[in-house]
Amino acid sequence: KPRSDKEILEEARERLKKVIDDNSDNRKKQRDDLRFCTLDQWPPEVRSAREGDLENGPRPCLTIDQINQYLDQVVNDGLQNKPGIKIRPVDDASDIDTAEVLQGVIRQVEDQSVAEIAYGAALRSGVRIGEGYCRVVTEYENEKSFSQVLRIKPIQDTFCCYLGYHVLPDGSDAEYGFVFEDVPVEAFRRLYPEAKYQNTDFDELDAYSDYWLENKKIRVAEYFYFEYENKTLLFLQDGNTILKEEYDKLTEAPEIVDTRETRIKSVKWCKLTGVEILEKRNWAGKYIPIAKVIGKESWLDGARSVWGLVRPAKDSLRMYNYWASTITEKIALAPKAPFIMAEGQDEGYEEMWANA
């Protein structure tokens, strides 16, 4: 039995709250890593104390960029290896010719999508903060067509994407995922004139309001999730398998050798706010269409930690900035004392003294 919109909304609220809470420590550290590689490298309290020194006057807080060259080197090496999707026939039932055709189709999708941009964005984020994403979407071929095509798109803001609990590094075993955007109220009214947008309409969110409303912005989320349906699977005498409901429609069919109960999974997509579903449809695939790229990963006490190249380098680079600032400060404040000598001491060395 299909679930109601209310049930889907309640599930989405609870799941978004869970993934945000579960990843809050990681995301806080990742934001600091990202600020660091965008040259905001001084802790705010240290910068404030140095630049606001009332006793000695403002003191220098130099930032010597010693990290981005190494980040670019890793990213460029990765892009030179041409990341992409590869089709491989892996068993006796596979057809090499079919695999080649599928590879050609995927190559066309990557070419039309300019997939290098999506792969590069995910790789760059993974190198910097340990986590990056790209996604697969469907869109109409053009503004006058009903035909849809697949496209590989970048997710430039890693912090607007969450996957449910998963173990595999690419996130392909996740049961659900979110990609969201925080839209100003005025823009939301223009984009969704029939939707609920007044603050009074969000009273029902209660404990979830902080996850769907922030700074006069409304969170609009794409929510991917699985639905399961119990089915009976039949194993036939000719070696094939078929669902019972399909078998019952056959006029002539081989004898049934064995049966078992199974769960058929389908992927669903909907766009929603915290209080209503704006759009929904089936997704033609068996995975959540969000691919993850990770840097370094560690599990401790059942919790995942991820980081990139920036975090281990932060302390040493902050020390470097401090030393450079201190040296600059000392030289700038050093007294400019003139050379002094007694009369006649420059005798025979007049030219050297003049050029000193």
Side-chain angles (χ1 to χ4, degrees):
K1 179 183 177 180
R3 294 189 298 164
S4 66
D5 286 0
K6 182 179 179 181
E7 291 173 319
I8 296 172
L9 275 171
E10 289 175 351
E11 178 186 78
R13 292 173 192 164
E14 183 60 37
R15 283 180 164 180
L16 183 65
K17 179 180 183 299
K18 178 174 175 54
V19 292
I20 290 178
D21 290 346
D22 289 349
N23 290 276
S24 61
D25 289 341
N26 262 332
R27 291 292 170 99
K28 182 179 179 180
K29 294 175 182 177
Q30 289 171 329
R31 282 187 172 89
D32 190 65
D33 294 345
L34 188 58
R35 279 192 290 267
F36 192 91
C37 66
T38 51
L39 305 185
D40 184 5
Q41 298 185 359
W42 284 82
E45 63 278 7
V46 176
R47 178 184 289 275
S48 177
R50 290 176 66 87
E51 293 181 342
D53 191 336
L54 300 178
E55 183 177 349
N56 301 308
R59 304 171 65 189
C61 293
L62 304 183
T63 299
I64 314 299
D65 185 14
Q66 295 285 320
I67 187 66
N68 279 294
Q69 57 182 320
Y70 301 107
L71 301 181
D72 292 340
Q73 182 179 348
V74 175
V75 171
N76 291 337
D77 286 346
L79 293 178
Q80 284 180 355
N81 290 328
K82 296 291 183 184
I85 302 169
K86 178 70 174 177
I87 299 293
R88 294 180 297 176
V90 296
D91 57 32
D92 294 339
S94 301
D95 180 18
I96 295 178
D97 293 335
T98 302
E100 291 178 352
V101 171
L102 293 174
Q103 186 66 62
V105 172
I106 289 174
R107 193 179 300 115
Q108 182 187 25
V109 170
E110 290 181 317
D111 182 62
Q112 295 295 323
S113 305
V114 195
E116 291 86 353
I117 295 176
Y119 299 152
L123 176 61
R124 190 171 296 106
S125 183
V127 170
R128 287 176 171 179
I129 65 175
E131 189 175 4
Y133 297 92
C134 60
R135 61 182 303 196
V136 179
V137 303
T138 59
E139 58 185 30
Y140 288 107
E141 198 169 22
N142 56 61
E143 64 273 11
K144 296 183 178 179
S145 174
F146 281 92
S147 300
Q148 294 192 55
V149 292
L150 289 172
R151 292 289 181 260
I152 300 170
K153 297 288 188 180
I155 297 179
Q156 298 288 2
D157 184 1
T158 300
F159 303 111
C160 75
C161 184
Y162 287 91
L163 286 176
Y165 178 82
H166 57 280
V167 176
L168 296 179
D170 61 357
S172 58
D173 57 330
E175 289 281 316
Y176 59 91
F178 291 91
V179 180
F180 58 76
E181 178 184 9
D182 293 333
V183 182
V185 172
E186 292 301 321
F188 185 85
R189 291 176 178 177
R190 185 176 64 254
L191 294 170
Y192 306 100
E194 303 299 323
K196 299 178 181 179
Y197 53 78
Q198 299 293 344
N199 287 339
T200 54
D201 293 326
F202 289 87
D203 289 345
E204 63 187 82
L205 286 175
D206 295 330
Y208 301 105
S209 60
D210 291 343
Y211 301 88
W212 294 93
L213 291 170
E214 185 176 1
N215 296 328
K216 296 184 178 180
K217 292 184 178 181
I218 297 172
R219 180 157 292 169
V220 179
E222 292 182 63
Y223 173 42
F224 293 92
Y225 60 98
F226 292 145
E227 291 280 13
Y228 293 92
E229 190 174 359
N230 294 325
K231 299 281 187 179
T232 301
L233 185 67
L234 307 180
F235 179 66
L236 306 180
Q237 194 173 34
D238 62 1
N240 292 321
T241 58
I242 189 173
L243 294 175
K244 186 177 184 303
E245 60 188 39
E246 297 173 358
Y247 180 85
D248 293 340
K249 297 177 182 178
L250 300 177
T251 55
E252 295 183 6
E255 182 181 348
I256 299 173
V257 176
D258 198 4
T259 66
R260 73 176 180 89
E261 297 302 312
T262 187
R263 299 177 73 203
I264 302 299
K265 178 176 68 176
S266 59
V267 184
K268 307 292 183 180
W269 171 91
C270 62
K271 180 180 286 187
L272 47 81
T273 64
V275 295
E276 68 177 326
I277 293 177
L278 305 172
E279 304 174 52
K280 64 178 179 179
R281 62 173 178 264
N282 295 327
W283 173 259
K286 63 178 183 177
Y287 299 106
I288 304 299
I290 302 171
K292 181 178 180 180
V293 174
I294 64 169
K296 296 289 187 178
E297 178 185 47
S298 177
W299 287 82
L300 180 63
D301 298 330
R304 180 202 306 266
S305 294
V306 292
W307 64 93
L309 291 182
V310 175
R311 195 173 304 168
K314 285 162 68 174
D315 286 344
S316 59
L317 294 182
R318 280 176 174 150
M319 181 175 63
Y320 188 91
N321 288 336
Y322 180 80
W323 285 353
S325 299
T326 301
I327 292 171
T328 301
E329 181 181 13
K330 295 298 183 184
I331 293 176
L333 296 178
K336 306 298 188 296
F339 293 104
I340 299 175
M341 62 180 176
E343 182 180 1
Q345 273 189 293
D346 63 340
E347 186 176 350
Y349 301 97
E350 291 86 356
E351 184 177 355
M352 292 178 63
W353 172 250
N355 295 324

